[in-house]
Amino acid sequence: MVQSIKDDCVTEFSFKMTSSKNDEDHLYVFNFIDINSDNIEYNSQKDLLFVSINTSQKSKYIRHVENGVLQNYTDEVRLYVNSVEEAMLTKEAIQTIIKDCKSALKAYDTISEEQGLEQLIDAIGIVKINDDNYEQSLELLDEASRTVRFTDIFSNLKKSEEEVFEYGLKDINFKSILMKTSGKNVLVELSTKYFEKIIKTYEDGEIKSYSNKISIQASSIENAREIVNLFKIITKD
């Protein structure tokens, strides 16, 4: 077995395992700030000893690629060690890294609403997940009312469809803005205040019923985290 980990808060952990039956090549990408420092344990499976690290609240924020193919996001990674002593040292090291990474979080309190909107427009873009493509854009329609248009064109080998949402930024409940994963997708979800159906919605050019929530595709957990933080800046009263 060969394994390595990148020395960064947003890290990449890879390991390769070779057996008489098959070869396994795994890559995990995650941010140490998402790891629960109180839930790092060491265990064994057959003749392998490992340290198990888990995300806070079991959120599936860990990207997993196996043999070059994207898998569903997961909430656990195993780091393999040679002894109990090494496992204990690994646990302590991870807890220290988590603490250091949390103290080095990016600050958003100095960003104005105008800057936040500009950065948000740049943060939302094209996302490709295997054969599925999401061509997304956000634009400001009216500065006085802070009305924006979010466009999402989905396409794959079978179909193509366009959705358009128009809404006022101040109509969004900033407390509702969150990131989540669903299978291989990373999403940012937001809803209106009091869940009012006031978001003008179009599908392939045809107006549909007004809605009260929007889902935005993100290219990664870090991209989703950025979108969430920027949305909170420009929607907060």
Side-chain angles (χ1 to χ4, degrees):
M1 179 187 300
V2 178
Q3 57 183 354
S4 64
I5 190 165
K6 184 180 176 182
D7 182 17
D8 205 342
C9 289
V10 180
T11 190
E12 296 180 0
F13 169 66
S14 63
F15 80 87
K16 298 180 180 181
M17 185 181 297
T18 302
S19 68
S20 58
K21 295 182 179 180
N22 62 345
D23 295 338
E24 293 182 23
D25 191 346
H26 297 265
L27 173 65
Y28 296 90
V29 181
F30 61 93
N31 193 325
F32 276 106
I33 67 172
D34 294 322
I35 301 302
N36 184 351
S37 61
D38 297 324
N39 191 17
I40 303 172
E41 305 295 341
Y42 51 90
N43 211 328
S44 62
Q45 184 178 35
K46 296 182 179 179
D47 59 340
L48 295 175
L49 183 64
F50 60 87
V51 176
S52 175
I53 61 176
N54 302 271
T55 57
S56 299
Q57 301 179 332
K58 289 290 184 180
S59 300
K60 296 183 183 296
Y61 289 170
I62 300 174
R63 178 182 172 94
H64 178 207
V65 178
E66 181 177 354
N67 296 329
V69 180
L70 179 65
Q71 306 297 309
N72 289 345
Y73 277 76
T74 185
D75 56 16
E76 179 190 19
V77 175
R78 293 178 176 182
L79 310 181
Y80 293 92
V81 294
N82 296 311
S83 65
V84 172
E85 291 75 15
E86 187 177 325
M88 294 173 66
L89 290 172
T90 300
K91 177 179 178 177
E92 291 177 2
I94 293 171
Q95 289 174 326
T96 299
I97 294 170
I98 293 170
K99 183 178 180 180
D100 291 344
C101 289
K102 286 184 175 180
S103 66
L105 281 174
K106 178 180 177 179
Y108 287 87
D109 53 0
T110 60
I111 299 176
S112 67
E113 286 191 21
E114 289 72 20
Q115 292 171 328
L117 181 57
E118 289 176 2
Q119 293 180 32
L120 181 62
I121 290 171
D122 290 338
I124 296 174
I126 297 173
V127 175
K128 181 176 176 59
I129 303 169
N130 294 334
D131 292 331
D132 293 339
N133 296 281
Y134 302 85
E135 187 175 342
Q136 305 172 122
S137 63
L138 184 72
E139 58 182 312
L140 181 64
L141 292 181
D142 183 76
E143 188 170 351
S145 63
R146 307 296 284 173
T147 300
V148 296
R149 175 190 291 137
F150 170 64
T151 303
D152 178 17
I153 303 173
F154 169 80
S155 63
N156 58 22
L157 297 175
K158 296 181 180 180
K159 64 178 181 177
S160 175
E161 56 189 21
E162 179 189 66
E163 289 186 310
V164 176
F165 305 89
E166 295 178 0
Y167 59 95
L169 290 172
K170 295 305 180 180
D171 292 325
I172 298 300
N173 179 3
F174 82 97
K175 293 182 179 179
S176 74
I177 303 167
L178 54 84
M179 68 176 181
K180 60 180 288 188
T181 59
S182 176
K184 301 176 180 65
N185 297 61
V186 186
L187 306 168
V188 173
E189 294 187 341
L190 51 150
S191 59
T192 59
K193 296 174 180 176
Y194 312 111
F195 296 102
E196 287 187 281
K197 293 188 176 182
I198 53 177
I199 300 175
K200 188 180 293 187
T201 305
Y202 301 86
E203 291 182 10
D204 294 326
E206 295 185 8
I207 191 166
K208 297 295 181 180
S209 300
Y210 280 72
S211 57
N212 56 15
K213 60 182 179 180
I214 295 174
S215 292
I216 299 170
Q217 297 284 336
S219 59
S220 66
I221 290 294
E222 297 314 305
N223 178 229
R225 202 188 313 275
E226 181 86 350
I227 292 172
V228 166
N229 284 311
L230 293 171
F231 256 122
K232 287 185 175 181
I233 290 172
I234 64 177
T235 58
K236 191 171 183 179
D237 294 328

Coordinates of all heavy atoms in Angstrom, one line a residue, residues 50-86:
F50 N -5.9 1.3 11.1 CA -6.2 2.6 10.4 C -6.8 3.6 11.4 O -7.3 3.2 12.5 CB -7.2 2.5 9.3 CG -8.5 1.9 9.6 CD1 -9.6 2.7 10.1 CD2 -8.7 0.5 9.5 CE1 -10.8 2.1 10.4 CE2 -10.0 0.0 9.9 CZ -11.0 0.8 10.3
V51 N -6.7 4.9 11.1 CA -7.3 6.0 11.8 C -8.5 6.5 11.0 O -8.3 6.8 9.9 CB -6.3 7.1 12.1 CG1 -7.0 8.3 12.8 CG2 -5.1 6.7 12.9
S52 N -9.6 6.4 11.6 CA -10.9 6.9 10.9 C -11.2 8.3 11.3 O -11.3 8.6 12.5 CB -12.0 5.9 11.3 OG -13.2 6.4 10.8
I53 N -11.3 9.2 10.3 CA -11.7 10.6 10.5 C -13.0 10.8 9.9 O -13.3 10.3 8.8 CB -10.6 11.6 10.0 CG1 -10.4 11.4 8.5 CG2 -9.3 11.4 10.7 CD1 -9.4 12.5 8.0
N54 N -13.9 11.5 10.6 CA -15.3 11.7 10.1 C -15.6 13.2 10.1 O -15.1 14.0 10.9 CB -16.2 11.0 11.1 CG -15.9 9.5 11.2 OD1 -16.4 8.7 10.4 ND2 -15.1 9.1 12.1
T55 N -16.5 13.6 9.2 CA -16.9 15.0 9.2 C -17.9 15.3 10.3 O -18.5 14.4 10.9 CB -17.7 15.2 7.9 OG1 -18.8 14.3 7.7 CG2 -16.7 15.1 6.7
S56 N -18.0 16.6 10.6 CA -18.9 17.0 11.7 C -20.4 16.8 11.2 O -20.7 17.0 10.0 CB -18.7 18.5 11.9 OG -17.4 18.8 12.4
Q57 N -21.2 16.3 12.1 CA -22.6 16.0 11.8 C -22.8 15.0 10.6 O -23.8 15.0 10.0 CB -23.4 17.3 11.5 CG -23.3 18.3 12.7 CD -24.0 19.6 12.4 OE1 -24.2 20.0 11.3 NE2 -24.6 20.2 13.5
K58 N -21.7 14.3 10.4 CA -21.8 13.3 9.3 C -22.1 13.9 7.9 O -22.7 13.2 7.1 CB -22.8 12.1 9.6 CG -22.3 11.2 10.8 CD -21.1 10.4 10.3 CE -20.7 9.4 11.4 NZ -19.6 8.5 10.9
S59 N -21.8 15.1 7.7 CA -22.0 15.8 6.5 C -21.1 15.2 5.4 O -19.9 15.0 5.6 CB -21.8 17.3 6.6 OG -22.6 17.9 7.5
K60 N -21.7 14.8 4.2 CA -20.9 14.2 3.2 C -20.2 15.2 2.4 O -20.6 15.6 1.3 CB -21.9 13.3 2.3 CG -22.5 12.2 3.1 CD -23.4 11.3 2.2 CE -24.1 10.2 3.0 NZ -23.2 9.3 3.6
Y61 N -19.1 15.7 2.9 CA -18.3 16.8 2.3 C -17.0 16.3 1.8 O -16.1 17.1 1.5 CB -18.0 17.9 3.4 CG -19.3 18.7 3.7 CD1 -19.2 19.6 4.8 CD2 -20.5 18.7 3.0 CE1 -20.3 20.4 5.1 CE2 -21.6 19.4 3.3 CZ -21.5 20.3 4.4 OH -22.6 21.1 4.7
I62 N -16.8 15.0 1.7 CA -15.5 14.5 1.3 C -15.6 13.9 -0.2 O -16.4 13.0 -0.4 CB -15.0 13.4 2.2 CG1 -14.8 13.9 3.6 CG2 -13.7 12.8 1.7 CD1 -14.4 12.9 4.7
R63 N -14.9 14.5 -1.1 CA -14.9 14.1 -2.5 C -14.1 12.8 -2.6 O -13.0 12.7 -2.1 CB -14.4 15.2 -3.4 CG -14.3 14.8 -4.9 CD -13.6 16.0 -5.6 NE -13.4 15.7 -7.0 CZ -14.2 15.9 -8.0 NH1 -15.3 16.5 -7.8 NH2 -13.8 15.6 -9.3
H64 N -14.7 11.8 -3.3 CA -14.0 10.5 -3.5 C -13.9 10.1 -5.0 O -14.9 10.1 -5.6 CB -14.8 9.5 -2.7 CG -14.2 8.1 -2.8 ND1 -14.9 6.9 -2.7 CD2 -12.9 7.7 -3.0 CE1 -14.2 5.9 -2.8 NE2 -12.9 6.3 -3.0
V65 N -12.7 9.9 -5.4 CA -12.5 9.4 -6.8 C -11.8 8.0 -6.7 O -10.8 7.9 -6.0 CB -11.6 10.4 -7.6 CG1 -11.4 9.8 -9.0 CG2 -12.3 11.8 -7.7
E66 N -12.4 7.0 -7.3 CA -11.9 5.7 -7.3 C -11.5 5.2 -8.7 O -12.3 5.3 -9.6 CB -12.9 4.7 -6.7 CG -12.4 3.3 -6.6 CD -13.3 2.3 -5.9 OE1 -14.4 2.8 -5.4 OE2 -13.1 1.1 -5.9
N67 N -10.2 4.9 -8.9 CA -9.7 4.5 -10.2 C -10.1 5.5 -11.3 O -10.5 5.1 -12.4 CB -10.2 3.1 -10.5 CG -9.7 2.0 -9.6 OD1 -8.6 2.1 -9.0 ND2 -10.5 1.0 -9.3
G68 N -10.0 6.8 -10.9 CA -10.3 7.8 -11.9 C -11.7 8.2 -12.1 O -12.0 9.1 -12.9
V69 N -12.6 7.5 -11.4 CA -14.1 7.7 -11.6 C -14.6 8.4 -10.3 O -14.5 7.9 -9.2 CB -14.8 6.4 -11.9 CG1 -16.3 6.7 -12.0 CG2 -14.3 5.8 -13.1
L70 N -15.3 9.5 -10.5 CA -16.0 10.2 -9.4 C -17.0 9.3 -8.7 O -17.9 8.8 -9.4 CB -16.6 11.5 -9.8 CG -17.3 12.4 -8.8 CD1 -16.3 12.8 -7.7 CD2 -18.0 13.5 -9.4
Q71 N -16.9 9.2 -7.4 CA -17.9 8.5 -6.6 C -18.8 9.5 -5.8 O -18.6 10.7 -5.9 CB -17.2 7.5 -5.6 CG -16.2 6.6 -6.3 CD -16.8 5.6 -7.2 OE1 -17.8 4.9 -6.9 NE2 -16.3 5.6 -8.5
N72 N -19.8 8.9 -5.1 CA -20.6 9.8 -4.3 C -19.8 10.4 -3.2 O -18.8 9.8 -2.7 CB -21.7 9.0 -3.6 CG -22.8 8.5 -4.6 OD1 -22.9 9.0 -5.7 ND2 -23.6 7.6 -4.2
Y73 N -20.1 11.6 -2.8 CA -19.4 12.2 -1.6 C -19.7 11.4 -0.4 O -20.7 10.7 -0.2 CB -20.0 13.7 -1.4 CG -19.3 14.7 -2.3 CD1 -19.6 14.8 -3.7 CD2 -18.3 15.5 -1.8 CE1 -19.0 15.7 -4.5 CE2 -17.7 16.5 -2.6 CZ -18.0 16.5 -4.0 OH -17.4 17.4 -4.8
T74 N -18.7 11.4 0.5 CA -18.7 10.6 1.7 C -18.4 11.4 2.9 O -18.1 12.6 2.9 CB -17.8 9.4 1.5 OG1 -17.9 8.5 2.7 CG2 -16.3 9.9 1.5
D75 N -18.5 10.7 4.1 CA -18.3 11.4 5.4 C -17.1 10.8 6.2 O -16.9 11.2 7.3 CB -19.5 11.5 6.2 CG -20.1 10.1 6.5 OD1 -19.4 9.1 6.3 OD2 -21.3 9.9 6.9
E76 N -16.4 9.9 5.6 CA -15.3 9.2 6.3 C -14.1 9.0 5.4 O -14.2 8.7 4.2 CB -15.8 7.9 6.9 CG -14.7 7.1 7.7 CD -15.2 5.7 8.0 OE1 -16.1 5.2 7.4 OE2 -14.6 5.1 9.0
V77 N -12.9 9.1 6.0 CA -11.7 8.7 5.4 C -10.8 7.9 6.4 O -10.8 8.2 7.6 CB -10.8 9.9 4.9 CG1 -9.5 9.5 4.4 CG2 -11.6 10.7 3.9
R78 N -10.2 6.9 5.9 CA -9.3 6.0 6.7 C -7.8 6.3 6.3 O -7.5 6.1 5.2 CB -9.7 4.6 6.6 CG -11.0 4.2 7.1 CD -11.3 2.7 6.9 NE -12.6 2.4 7.5 CZ -13.1 1.1 7.5 NH1 -12.5 0.2 6.9 NH2 -14.3 0.9 8.0
L79 N -7.0 6.6 7.3 CA -5.6 6.8 7.1 C -4.9 5.5 7.7 O -5.1 5.3 8.9 CB -5.1 8.0 7.8 CG -5.8 9.4 7.5 CD1 -5.1 10.5 8.2 CD2 -5.8 9.6 6.0
Y80 N -4.2 4.8 7.0 CA -3.6 3.5 7.4 C -2.3 3.8 8.1 O -1.4 4.6 7.7 CB -3.4 2.6 6.3 CG -4.8 2.1 5.7 CD1 -5.4 2.8 4.7 CD2 -5.5 1.1 6.3 CE1 -6.6 2.5 4.2 CE2 -6.7 0.7 5.8 CZ -7.3 1.4 4.7 OH -8.5 1.0 4.3
V81 N -2.1 3.1 9.2 CA -0.9 3.2 10.1 C -0.3 1.9 10.4 O -0.9 0.8 10.1 CB -1.2 4.0 11.4 CG1 -1.6 5.4 11.1 CG2 -2.3 3.2 12.2
N82 N 1.0 1.9 11.0 CA 1.7 0.7 11.2 C 1.6 0.2 12.6 O 1.9 -1.0 12.9 CB 3.2 0.9 10.9 CG 3.4 1.2 9.4 OD1 2.8 0.5 8.5 ND2 4.1 2.2 9.1
S83 N 1.2 1.0 13.6 CA 1.1 0.6 15.0 C 0.1 1.5 15.7 O -0.3 2.6 15.2 CB 2.5 0.8 15.6 OG 2.9 2.2 15.7
V84 N -0.2 1.1 16.9 CA -1.1 1.8 17.8 C -0.5 3.2 18.1 O -1.2 4.2 18.2 CB -1.5 1.0 19.1 CG1 -2.3 1.9 20.0 CG2 -2.3 -0.2 18.7
E85 N 0.8 3.2 18.4 CA 1.5 4.4 18.7 C 1.4 5.4 17.6 O 1.2 6.6 17.8 CB 3.0 4.1 19.1 CG 3.2 3.3 20.3 CD 2.9 1.8 20.2 OE1 2.7 1.4 19.1 OE2 2.7 1.2 21.3
E86 N 1.6 4.9 16.4 CA 1.5 5.8 15.2 C 0.1 6.3 15.0 O -0.1 7.4 14.6 CB 1.9 5.0 13.9 CG 2.0 5.9 12.7 CD 2.5 5.1 11.5 OE1 3.4 4.2 11.6 OE2 2.0 5.4 10.4

